[in-house]
Amino acid sequence: MLPTPAQDLTGPRLCATIILMIMETLKQNAAKQDTARAAMFKALGDPTRLAIFNFLRTCCGPVAVDDAGDVRPLDGPTVGEVCCRVTGAEKITSAVSFHIKELRLAGLVTVERRGKNMVCRVNRDALGTLAAFFGETVQDDCC
């Protein structure tokens, strides 16, 4: 509970008020972190999204696909290659696009347009958040 302007905020009362404000802020931050983690776990609960995320996690670079769905090399595998790996299709499908969007909305991957390509990467901060939740540290296995 925040003090009113008329309240005396000296000495012990000031300390108690500051401590209460800090505790409230910590509770709010913890609730936000729990909500973010829950969204990540929900997104990873789908086997296709988990396969896409795992594939992107093991890639050393970004992945991309052009507007037509054709594979176009970039600094790593393309989104088309992700699609090939996960579904066996040669071009990206609407289902894979949907799953990548869900991973993006959960904060697990980033998607950036570069010309005709959509470049996808694992969000390393999200990976760190998940690893921290399980009491592990993120290791950069690639490159």
Side-chain angles (χ1 to χ4, degrees), residues 35-44 49 99-109 123 126:
T35 301
R37 279 192 297 258
M40 290 179 197
F41 288 128
K42 181 179 178 183
L44 292 173
R49 287 195 285 268
H99 290 303
I100 290 173
K101 179 193 80 163
E102 291 298 310
L103 291 168
R104 181 184 57 80
L105 292 174
L108 291 164
V109 299
N123 179 346

Side-chain angles (χ1 to χ4, degrees), residues 7-83:
Q7 289 178 320
D8 177 25
L9 291 179
T10 58
R13 283 192 176 169
L14 177 61
C15 289
T17 301
I18 291 171
I19 290 171
L20 287 173
M21 290 171 61
I22 291 170
M23 289 175 61
E24 184 62 31
T25 301
L26 290 174
K27 277 192 226 176
Q28 290 171 356
N29 288 342
K32 287 178 186 176
Q33 288 176 346
D34 287 345
T35 301
R37 279 192 297 258
M40 290 179 197
F41 288 128
K42 181 179 178 183
L44 292 173
D46 180 275
T48 302
R49 287 195 285 268
L50 183 59
I52 292 168
F53 181 76
N54 194 43
F55 177 72
L56 291 173
R57 186 183 60 78
T58 60
C59 292
C60 291
V63 296
V65 67
D66 69 14
D67 288 335
D70 293 322
V71 173
R72 311 241 12 233
L74 200 61
D75 300 324
T78 65
V79 171
E81 290 172 329
V82 172
C83 191

